[in-house]
Each structure stands twice: as C-alpha cells, then as structure tokens.
Amino acid sequence: MMDPRAYGGKFLPQGLEADPEARAAMHEAGLLFRSSAMRALYRVAIQVAGSDAPVLLTGESGTGKEIFARLLHTLSNRSGRPFVPVNCGVLSGELFADKFFGHEPGAFTGATRLQKGSFELAADGTLFLDEVGEIPLANQVDFLRVLEERTFKRLGGDKDLGFRARIVAATNRALPDMVRAGRFRADLFYRLNVIPIALPSLRERSDDIAPLAEYFLWLFGHHYHRPNLRLSPEAMAVLTRHRWPGNVRELKNLMERVALLHTSESPVMADDLPLEMRLEFAPDLPHEFGTPHSGEALADFNLDAAVRRAETAAMLRAYKAAHGSKQRTAELLGISPRTLRHKLAQYGLRLEDG
C-alpha cells in the first residue's frame, strides 16, 4: 500500500494518481478504495455523472451510499451547486411535506416566516434522498408528482416553483419486494430506478480492508496525537477475516476506538480488537491467537498453558453461542457468573454484554 499521507492523507484507485480532476473529485467526495469492484463502480460513476437521469443506489448500511452520491455530484457539471441530503427515514406526514416543499408565512400554526424546502434548496444541484424506501406511502404520490411535473408549491402558497435538481436516491431495502407488497409505489420506483447502482459490501471488496484500516488508523492517530500507531500482522489478519456487517462505517469507527484506547508504543495486536471479531478465530485459537515468539515455544507444552488455551477457547465459543450474554455464557460453561468473571480477569479477556 502507498503511504496514506500522500494526496492529503487519501489514497486513490490505481491509474488515477496522475489525473488532477479525478483526484480532486475523490478528495471532495471522500471515497477511498483500491479494489477492482470499486474501480469498476468508479468507471460507472464517470459514465453517468454528466446525465440528469435519476440514480438509485442500493447496498447494505455503511457501504458509503452518501459518499458515492457526493462523488456523482462532484464529477458532474452540477459540482459547484448545492448538494442537499435528506434522510427520508425520519419524516412522515406534515413533517415530510414541510421538509421537502417548505412553507409560506401563516401556512400553519407557528409558521411565522417563509421556509424553503429541500426541493427549493437543491436548486439546480443534487437532491440526495437517503433511506428512500422509508418515504411514507401517503407522501409518495406528492413526491412522484414533483418528479413528473418538475414543479411544486410551498405549503400555504399558490405559486408554482420549478424543480431543477438531479435526484440521487439510496436504500438498503429491497424496493421491488416492497412494491410487490404494496408498501412502495411502482410508478415512483420506476421513476427513481433509471440508473441503478449496487454498492458492494466491504466483505465483497476485501482488498480494501487493509488499506482502509491503515488509512483510518493513520487519520485518527493524528487526530488524537498518536501518529505512530500501526497494526500488527495478527491484528490485520483478524480485520481481513471479519465479516464487517457494518461495512466501512464499522471499520472506521473501530479504528477510531483503537486510536483512542491504544496508548502504548507497540503495534496494535489482535487482543486489542473487540472480542466478537476474535471469536471468528475461535476454532483455531491456539494457532491464531498468538504464534509463540522466540523463546516461548517450550511453553506450549506446559500443562498450565494448555489448560489456559482450552479454557479460553471454551469461554469464547460459549460466549459466541450465547450471543453475547455473559449470564448465558456462564450457564453454558456450567460455572457461576462469579467464576466466569474470575476466569476472564485471570486470562485478560474482555466480554461485553450483547
């Protein structure tokens, strides 16, 4: 991996280092990747950025849908105009209408001044609809009408205002299933789904795990005045084998936690990572949870060391089977919670109630 300090602390896909426009777009959007899967999506972004057609981004939570939407905006001829993100999952009824349409003074009790809505604030830029699958069914028809007619009125107003922004929507829901179930309008879905783009999960772009981890650790290390933080090979092995259900967001948050809590000058080890990640190594704990250093090989034959390894493996497997409940872990092991606490302290293990 290239030095993460290059290009202002960000790294770019191969072949873009010499392209100033691409470099600027990547920096502004904050999209970081090396994998072939994301390079292919970047090429798609370049192809569709100049279009006015709506884009529907799909993917698991934490895959970077808003960042990708910002990349599309930055690559387009709208880049100098507003990028207005709206979380549709927290709006319903009149709150939804007011957020998007805005209101005139006196439109309702408490409306003392003119308030522009998102349709108006986006102007001729990009309106990003996050969690678009959460738009209440009752509000979907009004939303569709704006997309079709490209005009709207503020609440309490009678003047038609033009809607000129490009729509980029995102969801982690299966909208076709919602359409079949009657929870999402088919006509709105087809209006939004002109250019569908599916963002891969982090486990599907595993080549990005190591450079992203190194970058985020570098970033937060400098933020918290710990610039020499580095990951050991054992820690990196744990990270690259983790399934990352929270995707890039989960990895970023973990590296911030590591930067805050790792106070020594030594590399970040596997034991410094959350237990639930290390549980994925439980079947081969004696191998994965620490290859003996020079001078320690004979200790592997020590009976106390063998008991320690066996008890550690048993506790980790029980904790995994108990879905993070320490009470249930103790029950599965056939010991009291007090004994479990003693064993955990004895072996330096940290279990958090799930």
Side-chain angles (χ1 to χ4, degrees), residues 59-85:
E60 296 177 7
S61 177
T63 50
K65 294 185 286 295
E66 180 172 346
I67 292 175
F68 198 85
R70 289 184 183 274
L71 176 65
L72 289 172
H73 176 76
T74 304
L75 290 171
S76 75
N77 56 10
R78 301 173 182 267
S79 59
R81 294 153 193 171
F83 178 91
V84 177

PDB file of all heavy atoms in Angstrom, residues 59-85:
ATOM      1  N   GLY A  59     -27.525  -0.959  -1.412  1.00  0.00           N
ATOM      2  CA  GLY A  59     -26.421  -1.585  -0.705  1.00  0.00           C
ATOM      3  C   GLY A  59     -26.692  -1.607   0.780  1.00  0.00           C
ATOM      4  O   GLY A  59     -27.564  -0.911   1.284  1.00  0.00           O
ATOM      5  N   GLU A  60     -25.932  -2.417   1.491  1.00  0.00           N
ATOM      6  CA  GLU A  60     -26.099  -2.541   2.927  1.00  0.00           C
ATOM      7  C   GLU A  60     -25.767  -1.226   3.623  1.00  0.00           C
ATOM      8  O   GLU A  60     -25.096  -0.356   3.074  1.00  0.00           O
ATOM      9  CB  GLU A  60     -25.182  -3.654   3.457  1.00  0.00           C
ATOM     10  CG  GLU A  60     -25.505  -5.035   2.930  1.00  0.00           C
ATOM     11  CD  GLU A  60     -24.510  -6.075   3.426  1.00  0.00           C
ATOM     12  OE1 GLU A  60     -23.662  -5.736   4.279  1.00  0.00           O
ATOM     13  OE2 GLU A  60     -24.587  -7.229   2.957  1.00  0.00           O
ATOM     14  N   SER A  61     -26.227  -1.109   4.848  1.00  0.00           N
ATOM     15  CA  SER A  61     -25.901   0.065   5.661  1.00  0.00           C
ATOM     16  C   SER A  61     -24.391   0.142   5.862  1.00  0.00           C
ATOM     17  O   SER A  61     -23.740  -0.873   6.135  1.00  0.00           O
ATOM     18  CB  SER A  61     -26.608  -0.039   7.014  1.00  0.00           C
ATOM     19  OG  SER A  61     -26.266   1.043   7.843  1.00  0.00           O
ATOM     20  N   GLY A  62     -23.850   1.338   5.710  1.00  0.00           N
ATOM     21  CA  GLY A  62     -22.422   1.524   5.934  1.00  0.00           C
ATOM     22  C   GLY A  62     -21.545   1.322   4.721  1.00  0.00           C
ATOM     23  O   GLY A  62     -20.315   1.389   4.835  1.00  0.00           O
ATOM     24  N   THR A  63     -22.129   1.076   3.549  1.00  0.00           N
ATOM     25  CA  THR A  63     -21.314   0.834   2.353  1.00  0.00           C
ATOM     26  C   THR A  63     -20.861   2.117   1.683  1.00  0.00           C
ATOM     27  O   THR A  63     -20.069   2.077   0.736  1.00  0.00           O
ATOM     28  CB  THR A  63     -22.080  -0.028   1.333  1.00  0.00           C
ATOM     29  OG1 THR A  63     -23.381   0.532   1.114  1.00  0.00           O
ATOM     30  CG2 THR A  63     -22.231  -1.459   1.828  1.00  0.00           C
ATOM     31  N   GLY A  64     -21.362   3.265   2.125  1.00  0.00           N
ATOM     32  CA  GLY A  64     -20.900   4.527   1.571  1.00  0.00           C
ATOM     33  C   GLY A  64     -21.785   5.092   0.484  1.00  0.00           C
ATOM     34  O   GLY A  64     -21.305   5.736  -0.449  1.00  0.00           O
ATOM     35  N   LYS A  65     -23.095   4.900   0.624  1.00  0.00           N
ATOM     36  CA  LYS A  65     -24.007   5.367  -0.431  1.00  0.00           C
ATOM     37  C   LYS A  65     -24.010   6.893  -0.538  1.00  0.00           C
ATOM     38  O   LYS A  65     -24.020   7.435  -1.645  1.00  0.00           O
ATOM     39  CB  LYS A  65     -25.415   4.813  -0.178  1.00  0.00           C
ATOM     40  CG  LYS A  65     -25.499   3.286  -0.320  1.00  0.00           C
ATOM     41  CD  LYS A  65     -26.905   2.765  -0.180  1.00  0.00           C
ATOM     42  CE  LYS A  65     -27.407   2.788   1.252  1.00  0.00           C
ATOM     43  NZ  LYS A  65     -26.656   1.884   2.149  1.00  0.00           N
ATOM     44  N   GLU A  66     -23.999   7.581   0.599  1.00  0.00           N
ATOM     45  CA  GLU A  66     -23.980   9.050   0.518  1.00  0.00           C
ATOM     46  C   GLU A  66     -22.654   9.539  -0.048  1.00  0.00           C
ATOM     47  O   GLU A  66     -22.622  10.504  -0.829  1.00  0.00           O
ATOM     48  CB  GLU A  66     -24.231   9.689   1.883  1.00  0.00           C
ATOM     49  CG  GLU A  66     -24.221  11.216   1.811  1.00  0.00           C
ATOM     50  CD  GLU A  66     -24.656  11.907   3.090  1.00  0.00           C
ATOM     51  OE1 GLU A  66     -25.219  11.225   3.973  1.00  0.00           O
ATOM     52  OE2 GLU A  66     -24.429  13.134   3.188  1.00  0.00           O
ATOM     53  N   ILE A  67     -21.561   8.895   0.316  1.00  0.00           N
ATOM     54  CA  ILE A  67     -20.259   9.283  -0.226  1.00  0.00           C
ATOM     55  C   ILE A  67     -20.242   9.089  -1.741  1.00  0.00           C
ATOM     56  O   ILE A  67     -19.730   9.922  -2.491  1.00  0.00           O
ATOM     57  CB  ILE A  67     -19.136   8.478   0.452  1.00  0.00           C
ATOM     58  CG1 ILE A  67     -19.014   8.896   1.923  1.00  0.00           C
ATOM     59  CG2 ILE A  67     -17.816   8.669  -0.266  1.00  0.00           C
ATOM     60  CD1 ILE A  67     -18.022   8.082   2.706  1.00  0.00           C
ATOM     61  N   PHE A  68     -20.828   7.981  -2.205  1.00  0.00           N
ATOM     62  CA  PHE A  68     -20.871   7.731  -3.647  1.00  0.00           C
ATOM     63  C   PHE A  68     -21.768   8.767  -4.331  1.00  0.00           C
ATOM     64  O   PHE A  68     -21.466   9.232  -5.438  1.00  0.00           O
ATOM     65  CB  PHE A  68     -21.378   6.315  -3.931  1.00  0.00           C
ATOM     66  CG  PHE A  68     -21.063   5.835  -5.323  1.00  0.00           C
ATOM     67  CD1 PHE A  68     -19.842   5.244  -5.618  1.00  0.00           C
ATOM     68  CD2 PHE A  68     -21.982   5.977  -6.350  1.00  0.00           C
ATOM     69  CE1 PHE A  68     -19.538   4.809  -6.903  1.00  0.00           C
ATOM     70  CE2 PHE A  68     -21.697   5.549  -7.634  1.00  0.00           C
ATOM     71  CZ  PHE A  68     -20.476   4.965  -7.916  1.00  0.00           C
ATOM     72  N   ALA A  69     -22.858   9.141  -3.672  1.00  0.00           N
ATOM     73  CA  ALA A  69     -23.730  10.184  -4.230  1.00  0.00           C
ATOM     74  C   ALA A  69     -22.972  11.501  -4.347  1.00  0.00           C
ATOM     75  O   ALA A  69     -23.115  12.233  -5.349  1.00  0.00           O
ATOM     76  CB  ALA A  69     -24.970  10.362  -3.348  1.00  0.00           C
ATOM     77  N   ARG A  70     -22.158  11.813  -3.343  1.00  0.00           N
ATOM     78  CA  ARG A  70     -21.355  13.033  -3.409  1.00  0.00           C
ATOM     79  C   ARG A  70     -20.317  12.946  -4.535  1.00  0.00           C
ATOM     80  O   ARG A  70     -19.997  13.959  -5.178  1.00  0.00           O
ATOM     81  CB  ARG A  70     -20.660  13.287  -2.066  1.00  0.00           C
ATOM     82  CG  ARG A  70     -21.614  13.714  -0.966  1.00  0.00           C
ATOM     83  CD  ARG A  70     -20.874  14.043   0.327  1.00  0.00           C
ATOM     84  NE  ARG A  70     -21.804  14.373   1.393  1.00  0.00           N
ATOM     85  CZ  ARG A  70     -22.303  15.592   1.601  1.00  0.00           C
ATOM     86  NH1 ARG A  70     -21.957  16.589   0.795  1.00  0.00           N
ATOM     87  NH2 ARG A  70     -23.134  15.813   2.603  1.00  0.00           N
ATOM     88  N   LEU A  71     -19.796  11.747  -4.770  1.00  0.00           N
ATOM     89  CA  LEU A  71     -18.864  11.572  -5.875  1.00  0.00           C
ATOM     90  C   LEU A  71     -19.555  11.869  -7.208  1.00  0.00           C
ATOM     91  O   LEU A  71     -19.002  12.567  -8.068  1.00  0.00           O
ATOM     92  CB  LEU A  71     -18.307  10.148  -5.872  1.00  0.00           C
ATOM     93  CG  LEU A  71     -17.383   9.795  -7.044  1.00  0.00           C
ATOM     94  CD1 LEU A  71     -16.108  10.621  -6.988  1.00  0.00           C
ATOM     95  CD2 LEU A  71     -17.057   8.309  -7.045  1.00  0.00           C
ATOM     96  N   LEU A  72     -20.758  11.329  -7.403  1.00  0.00           N
ATOM     97  CA  LEU A  72     -21.513  11.617  -8.619  1.00  0.00           C
ATOM     98  C   LEU A  72     -21.712  13.121  -8.784  1.00  0.00           C
ATOM     99  O   LEU A  72     -21.556  13.663  -9.885  1.00  0.00           O
ATOM    100  CB  LEU A  72     -22.874  10.917  -8.573  1.00  0.00           C
ATOM    101  CG  LEU A  72     -22.887   9.396  -8.708  1.00  0.00           C
ATOM    102  CD1 LEU A  72     -24.294   8.858  -8.445  1.00  0.00           C
ATOM    103  CD2 LEU A  72     -22.417   8.975 -10.094  1.00  0.00           C
ATOM    104  N   HIS A  73     -22.071  13.779  -7.698  1.00  0.00           N
ATOM    105  CA  HIS A  73     -22.281  15.235  -7.743  1.00  0.00           C
ATOM    106  C   HIS A  73     -20.984  15.959  -8.104  1.00  0.00           C
ATOM    107  O   HIS A  73     -20.971  16.878  -8.939  1.00  0.00           O
ATOM    108  CB  HIS A  73     -22.792  15.704  -6.382  1.00  0.00           C
ATOM    109  CG  HIS A  73     -22.965  17.185  -6.273  1.00  0.00           C
ATOM    110  ND1 HIS A  73     -24.015  17.867  -6.850  1.00  0.00           N
ATOM    111  CD2 HIS A  73     -22.200  18.131  -5.653  1.00  0.00           C
ATOM    112  CE1 HIS A  73     -23.911  19.157  -6.593  1.00  0.00           C
ATOM    113  NE2 HIS A  73     -22.821  19.348  -5.874  1.00  0.00           N
ATOM    114  N   THR A  74     -19.880  15.543  -7.478  1.00  0.00           N
ATOM    115  CA  THR A  74     -18.603  16.208  -7.690  1.00  0.00           C
ATOM    116  C   THR A  74     -18.097  16.017  -9.118  1.00  0.00           C
ATOM    117  O   THR A  74     -17.451  16.909  -9.684  1.00  0.00           O
ATOM    118  CB  THR A  74     -17.561  15.670  -6.690  1.00  0.00           C
ATOM    119  OG1 THR A  74     -18.061  15.834  -5.363  1.00  0.00           O
ATOM    120  CG2 THR A  74     -16.244  16.411  -6.805  1.00  0.00           C
ATOM    121  N   LEU A  75     -18.372  14.867  -9.707  1.00  0.00           N
ATOM    122  CA  LEU A  75     -17.931  14.592 -11.073  1.00  0.00           C
ATOM    123  C   LEU A  75     -18.810  15.264 -12.123  1.00  0.00           C
ATOM    124  O   LEU A  75     -18.431  15.339 -13.294  1.00  0.00           O
ATOM    125  CB  LEU A  75     -17.933  13.079 -11.325  1.00  0.00           C
ATOM    126  CG  LEU A  75     -16.865  12.256 -10.607  1.00  0.00           C
ATOM    127  CD1 LEU A  75     -17.148  10.761 -10.773  1.00  0.00           C
ATOM    128  CD2 LEU A  75     -15.474  12.596 -11.121  1.00  0.00           C
ATOM    129  N   SER A  76     -19.984  15.741 -11.727  1.00  0.00           N
ATOM    130  CA  SER A  76     -20.951  16.278 -12.685  1.00  0.00           C
ATOM    131  C   SER A  76     -20.732  17.769 -12.926  1.00  0.00           C
ATOM    132  O   SER A  76     -19.944  18.423 -12.245  1.00  0.00           O
ATOM    133  CB  SER A  76     -22.370  16.050 -12.176  1.00  0.00           C
ATOM    134  OG  SER A  76     -22.671  16.950 -11.121  1.00  0.00           O
ATOM    135  N   ASN A  77     -21.485  18.301 -13.899  1.00  0.00           N
ATOM    136  CA  ASN A  77     -21.415  19.737 -14.137  1.00  0.00           C
ATOM    137  C   ASN A  77     -22.220  20.526 -13.105  1.00  0.00           C
ATOM    138  O   ASN A  77     -22.344  21.748 -13.205  1.00  0.00           O
ATOM    139  CB  ASN A  77     -21.901  20.076 -15.553  1.00  0.00           C
ATOM    140  CG  ASN A  77     -23.306  19.559 -15.817  1.00  0.00           C
ATOM    141  OD1 ASN A  77     -24.011  19.101 -14.895  1.00  0.00           O
ATOM    142  ND2 ASN A  77     -23.730  19.611 -17.076  1.00  0.00           N
ATOM    143  N   ARG A  78     -22.777  19.845 -12.110  1.00  0.00           N
ATOM    144  CA  ARG A  78     -23.500  20.494 -11.007  1.00  0.00           C
ATOM    145  C   ARG A  78     -22.611  20.666  -9.779  1.00  0.00           C
ATOM    146  O   ARG A  78     -23.083  21.066  -8.711  1.00  0.00           O
ATOM    147  CB  ARG A  78     -24.725  19.657 -10.611  1.00  0.00           C
ATOM    148  CG  ARG A  78     -25.729  19.424 -11.735  1.00  0.00           C
ATOM    149  CD  ARG A  78     -26.810  18.436 -11.288  1.00  0.00           C
ATOM    150  NE  ARG A  78     -27.764  18.158 -12.351  1.00  0.00           N
ATOM    151  CZ  ARG A  78     -28.918  18.805 -12.527  1.00  0.00           C
ATOM    152  NH1 ARG A  78     -29.266  19.759 -11.690  1.00  0.00           N
ATOM    153  NH2 ARG A  78     -29.725  18.483 -13.515  1.00  0.00           N
ATOM    154  N   SER A  79     -21.327  20.348  -9.908  1.00  0.00           N
ATOM    155  CA  SER A  79     -20.457  20.248  -8.735  1.00  0.00           C
ATOM    156  C   SER A  79     -20.336  21.552  -7.952  1.00  0.00           C
ATOM    157  O   SER A  79     -20.076  21.521  -6.750  1.00  0.00           O
ATOM    158  CB  SER A  79     -19.067  19.771  -9.159  1.00  0.00           C
ATOM    159  OG  SER A  79     -18.499  20.672 -10.093  1.00  0.00           O
ATOM    160  N   GLY A  80     -20.513  22.690  -8.606  1.00  0.00           N
ATOM    161  CA  GLY A  80     -20.426  23.946  -7.888  1.00  0.00           C
ATOM    162  C   GLY A  80     -21.743  24.403  -7.310  1.00  0.00           C
ATOM    163  O   GLY A  80     -21.843  25.513  -6.768  1.00  0.00           O
ATOM    164  N   ARG A  81     -22.748  23.542  -7.389  1.00  0.00           N
ATOM    165  CA  ARG A  81     -24.092  23.885  -6.916  1.00  0.00           C
ATOM    166  C   ARG A  81     -24.447  23.044  -5.700  1.00  0.00           C
ATOM    167  O   ARG A  81     -23.705  22.164  -5.316  1.00  0.00           O
ATOM    168  CB  ARG A  81     -25.081  23.685  -8.062  1.00  0.00           C
ATOM    169  CG  ARG A  81     -24.815  24.673  -9.198  1.00  0.00           C
ATOM    170  CD  ARG A  81     -25.267  24.166 -10.528  1.00  0.00           C
ATOM    171  NE  ARG A  81     -24.726  24.975 -11.613  1.00  0.00           N
ATOM    172  CZ  ARG A  81     -24.820  24.661 -12.890  1.00  0.00           C
ATOM    173  NH1 ARG A  81     -25.444  23.550 -13.263  1.00  0.00           N
ATOM    174  NH2 ARG A  81     -24.296  25.443 -13.808  1.00  0.00           N
ATOM    175  N   PRO A  82     -25.606  23.277  -5.090  1.00  0.00           N
ATOM    176  CA  PRO A  82     -25.888  22.614  -3.806  1.00  0.00           C
ATOM    177  C   PRO A  82     -25.990  21.083  -3.911  1.00  0.00           C
ATOM    178  O   PRO A  82     -26.485  20.545  -4.901  1.00  0.00           O
ATOM    179  CB  PRO A  82     -27.241  23.207  -3.393  1.00  0.00           C
ATOM    180  CG  PRO A  82     -27.338  24.499  -4.125  1.00  0.00           C
ATOM    181  CD  PRO A  82     -26.631  24.288  -5.429  1.00  0.00           C
ATOM    182  N   PHE A  83     -25.500  20.443  -2.872  1.00  0.00           N
ATOM    183  CA  PHE A  83     -25.751  19.017  -2.640  1.00  0.00           C
ATOM    184  C   PHE A  83     -26.567  18.956  -1.357  1.00  0.00           C
ATOM    185  O   PHE A  83     -26.065  19.296  -0.280  1.00  0.00           O
ATOM    186  CB  PHE A  83     -24.447  18.240  -2.498  1.00  0.00           C
ATOM    187  CG  PHE A  83     -24.643  16.767  -2.209  1.00  0.00           C
ATOM    188  CD1 PHE A  83     -24.731  15.846  -3.243  1.00  0.00           C
ATOM    189  CD2 PHE A  83     -24.750  16.304  -0.899  1.00  0.00           C
ATOM    190  CE1 PHE A  83     -24.908  14.493  -2.987  1.00  0.00           C
ATOM    191  CE2 PHE A  83     -24.939  14.957  -0.633  1.00  0.00           C
ATOM    192  CZ  PHE A  83     -25.017  14.050  -1.683  1.00  0.00           C
ATOM    193  N   VAL A  84     -27.836  18.560  -1.478  1.00  0.00           N
ATOM    194  CA  VAL A  84     -28.747  18.609  -0.336  1.00  0.00           C
ATOM    195  C   VAL A  84     -29.149  17.185   0.055  1.00  0.00           C
ATOM    196  O   VAL A  84     -29.921  16.533  -0.649  1.00  0.00           O
ATOM    197  CB  VAL A  84     -30.002  19.431  -0.663  1.00  0.00           C
ATOM    198  CG1 VAL A  84     -30.978  19.420   0.513  1.00  0.00           C
ATOM    199  CG2 VAL A  84     -29.619  20.868  -1.018  1.00  0.00           C
ATOM    200  N   PRO A  85     -28.626  16.668   1.165  1.00  0.00           N
ATOM    201  CA  PRO A  85     -29.016  15.332   1.630  1.00  0.00           C
ATOM    202  C   PRO A  85     -30.226  15.399   2.554  1.00  0.00           C
ATOM    203  O   PRO A  85     -30.327  16.286   3.401  1.00  0.00           O
ATOM    204  CB  PRO A  85     -27.780  14.858   2.388  1.00  0.00           C
ATOM    205  CG  PRO A  85     -27.164  16.111   2.923  1.00  0.00           C
ATOM    206  CD  PRO A  85     -27.527  17.231   1.971  1.00  0.00           C
TER     207      PRO A  85
END
